[in-house]
């Protein structure tokens, strides 16, 4: 059996009644991108199967922490792992004179949301997308405009959560290869 991996995928489509392409982030667990196609279609039913992939990565390294998929063996998380969690953050920002809100999607390994946001503040995106009057959104709760922040384990599809769990290495690994970012327009039948 092939090793299962966590995938982070940017999917796009132009749903009926919309004038611009829309995007969302899909997280799935599978042996390959191709194995995720039915789950991606089910994730966005309004697209009526007319979706494509704009970017994807096998998530195996987040900030030097190895991320692996393991069977959900019924052991409670408290008995199974340390106190680190994997967070998905969607940051928003602006550039002067450009009629657009830009977004930066990132993963962070941290003990809590505040620590994950602290990591987000170190990104080039956070430092360079915003100006007086249109700051990189300051949210009273977090001190940064985080359009969205989620514990990854909470946003995985229930079927994945029933079968698998994510294991995050407690110690950072120095020689862990960086995740490959696959960026471009991918039709589902070409995966």
């Amino acid at each position: 059996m092939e090793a299962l991996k966590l995938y982070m995928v940017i999917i796009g489509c132009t749903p009926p009644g919309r004038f611009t392409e829309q995007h969302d982030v899909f997280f799935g667990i599978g042996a390959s991108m191709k194995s995720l196609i039915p789950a991606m279609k089910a994730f966005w039913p309004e697209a009526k199967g007319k979706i494509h992939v704009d970017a994807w990565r096998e998530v195996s390294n987040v900030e030097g922490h190895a991320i692996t998929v393991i069977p959900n063996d019924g052991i409670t998380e408290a008995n199974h792992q340390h106190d680190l969690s994997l967070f998905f953050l969607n940051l928003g920002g602006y550039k002067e004179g450009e009629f657009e809100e830009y977004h930066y999607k990132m993963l962070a390994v941290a003990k809590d949301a505040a620590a994950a946001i602290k990591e987000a503040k170190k990104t080039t995106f956070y430092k360079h997308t915003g100006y007086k009057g249109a700051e990189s959104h300051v949210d009273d709760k977090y001190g940064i405009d985080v359009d969205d922040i989620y514990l990854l384990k909470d946003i995985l599809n229930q079927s994945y959560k029933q079968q698998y769990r994510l294991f995050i290495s407690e110690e950072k690994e120095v020689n862990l290869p960086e995740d490959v970012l696959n960026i471009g327009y991918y039709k589902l039948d070409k995966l």
Side-chain angles (χ1 to χ4, degrees), residues 53-65:
V53 171
D54 285 306
W56 63 275
R57 80 188 251 199
E58 291 178 16
V59 180
S60 60
N61 175 359
V62 177
E63 301 165 350
H65 295 275

Side-chain angles (χ1 to χ4, degrees), residues 18-146:
R18 300 292 180 198
F19 300 110
T20 60
E21 183 177 315
Q22 312 287 293
H23 294 93
D24 207 342
V25 178
F26 169 82
F27 290 94
I29 294 173
S32 67
M33 277 290 293
K34 187 173 186 150
S35 72
L36 297 177
I37 292 172
M40 284 189 280
K41 287 179 177 180
F43 173 75
W44 202 343
E46 300 83 4
K48 300 186 184 327
K50 295 181 180 180
I51 62 174
H52 63 271
V53 171
D54 285 306
W56 63 275
R57 80 188 251 199
E58 291 178 16
V59 180
S60 60
N61 175 359
V62 177
E63 301 165 350
H65 295 275
I67 310 297
T68 53
V69 175
I70 59 175
N72 186 355
D73 52 15
I75 297 175
T76 64
E77 229 171 278
N79 295 331
H80 203 64
Q81 192 171 318
H82 44 78
D83 60 353
L84 293 176
S85 296
L86 182 59
F87 289 88
F88 164 64
L89 296 93
N90 182 28
L91 307 177
Y94 305 97
K95 294 182 182 179
E96 194 164 8
E98 294 188 24
F99 192 70
E100 186 69 57
E101 179 185 6
Y102 296 94
H103 288 95
Y104 179 68
K105 291 146 186 65
M106 67 175 283
L107 297 173
V109 171
K111 291 184 181 206
D112 55 34
I117 289 166
K118 187 176 179 181
E119 288 302 310
K121 287 182 175 184
K122 296 177 186 177
T123 65
T124 302
F125 179 88
Y126 177 76
K127 293 175 184 175
H128 297 290
T129 50
Y131 58 94
K132 187 169 177 56
E135 290 79 13
S136 290
H137 320 305
V138 175
D139 178 308
D140 292 335
K141 183 175 180 184
Y142 298 119
I144 178 177
D145 175 21
V146 175

Side-chain angles (χ1 to χ4, degrees), residues 161-179:
K161 291 192 274 189
Q162 289 172 345
Q163 298 177 68
Y164 313 110
R165 69 172 59 255
L166 301 177
F167 183 80
I168 304 165
S169 66
E170 188 169 11
E171 299 299 321
K172 289 187 176 189
E173 299 181 26
V174 185
N175 296 322
L176 195 62
E178 291 293 320
D179 289 353

